[in-house]
Structure formats: structure tokens, C-alpha cells
Amino acid sequence: MSKFKKKKSGDLPAVSTASLPDIVFMLLFFFMTVTVMKDSDLMVTNKVPTASEVQKLDKKDPVMYIYAGKPTMKYQKKAGTSNKVQINDKFVVPDEIPNFVLEYQSGLHQDLQNRFITALKIDEDTNMGIVTDVKEALRDANALKINYITKDGDPLVGLKK
């Protein structure tokens, strides 16, 4: 009898799963840090107009978005086809805007309460009367920093003569 036994050739060792939890948690933390949460569902059509003097703002100040335009097909049954104003995920009338502004301000840090900007993302086919009503409601709420969101381009292209 021999003292030593020959190994069977071709046997592979078992795969070690000791580092598997580390890899799973590393992927979890990666996706948690790079994923952006959806802010709100756009309920109105929003083709913004073009402007020639566009300037990009710093992202240091908090921004409250107000959308205006015709409701999308999904919401026309409930809201109709006339132009509407949307804040967060809700259609509002201009008289309700000061309440939303005060609620937004109260949720901010004390230093940022006077520095927040209201961004108006208005569809290019929206009546100016609605924009004026929104601006008056913002004036009543003392939200005087207003930003119009546009895209860069020639504003005169496509105008009828």
C-alpha cells in the first residue's frame, strides 16, 4: 500500500462567497447616492419659449417651481382643456399660490427663507393673463425673486408676419 494518494485531476475548489455581502452593500450605497428622486409629475404641456439673453443661475439658492399650460391628455378629463397653474402635483388657482409659498418658506432653513427663487416654467401658448395673475399672487406673498425658464435660441424665429 502506498502512503500517498494521488489527487484526482480536474477538481475545482468551491467558489468562496465570503465577499459577496460586501459587494452587495457597496452596490446598494452606490445606487443610493447617485439616484435622483423625481420631484413632481408634470401635469401640463410645457414647451418653453426661446430667448436670446439666457443666463444660467447658481444652484445655491432654493427654487420653487410653478408650471402653467394646458393640461396633458391624461388630466384633461379631470381638469378640462383651458390653461391651468400647477404647483407640486396639484392644479391651483392663483389665489392659492401665497399659501404654497408660505408653506415652502416655512420648510426652509432660517438663512434661506429670504433667498428662495420662484421659477416660472410657462408654456409658450399660455395666455399672459394667467402669468399676470401668478405674478400678482407672488407679489402678495412677498416672493419677489422670479425667474422665467426658457431655452436658448432666437425668439423671433417662427413668428408670423
Side-chain angles (χ1 to χ4, degrees):
M1 287 208 15
S2 72
K3 247 181 172 178
F4 300 103
K5 292 184 181 180
K6 286 187 175 180
K7 272 189 172 180
K8 295 181 182 177
S9 63
D11 284 350
L12 294 176
V15 176
S16 174
T17 59
S19 64
L20 190 61
D22 294 335
I23 295 170
V24 168
F25 281 114
M26 191 170 45
L27 285 172
L28 177 69
F29 287 127
F30 171 75
F31 286 116
M32 284 174 52
T33 55
V34 299
T35 302
V36 177
M37 297 305 237
K38 188 174 180 182
D39 191 22
S40 64
D41 186 23
L42 193 59
M43 299 164 58
V44 295
T45 57
N46 203 269
K47 184 179 175 198
V48 293
T50 57
S52 59
E53 299 296 322
V54 177
Q55 181 180 0
K56 200 165 198 167
L57 295 177
D58 293 333
K59 292 201 173 200
K60 295 176 185 174
D61 295 332
V63 179
M64 177 182 166
Y65 292 94
I66 298 177
Y67 304 94
K70 292 187 179 181
T72 57
M73 295 298 276
K74 181 179 176 182
Y75 297 102
Q76 281 184 359
K77 196 177 245 187
K78 181 174 78 170
T81 57
S82 62
N83 291 325
K84 300 286 182 194
V85 177
Q86 175 191 346
I87 298 178
N88 299 335
D89 285 333
K90 186 177 179 184
F91 288 121
V92 296
V93 293
D95 296 338
E96 296 174 333
I97 292 175
N99 295 334
F100 281 95
V101 171
L102 293 175
E103 181 182 329
Y104 183 78
Q105 266 185 327
S106 66
L108 294 175
H109 191 268
Q110 187 71 25
D111 299 338
L112 299 174
Q113 285 186 356
N114 294 327
R115 291 182 28 202
F116 85 95
I117 297 171
T118 306
L120 299 179
K121 199 165 187 181
I122 310 294
D123 186 57
E124 65 183 0
D125 294 328
T126 302
N127 299 336
M128 193 60 195
I130 291 179
V131 178
T132 305
D133 293 344
V134 169
K135 286 173 49 178
E136 287 177 3
L138 289 171
R139 192 176 306 134
D140 292 342
N142 200 24
L144 304 177
K145 294 180 184 176
I146 297 175
N147 175 26
Y148 290 96
I149 297 177
T150 63
K151 59 184 174 186
D152 195 13
D154 187 7
L156 301 177
V157 172
L159 288 180
K160 296 176 184 175
K161 290 184 180 184

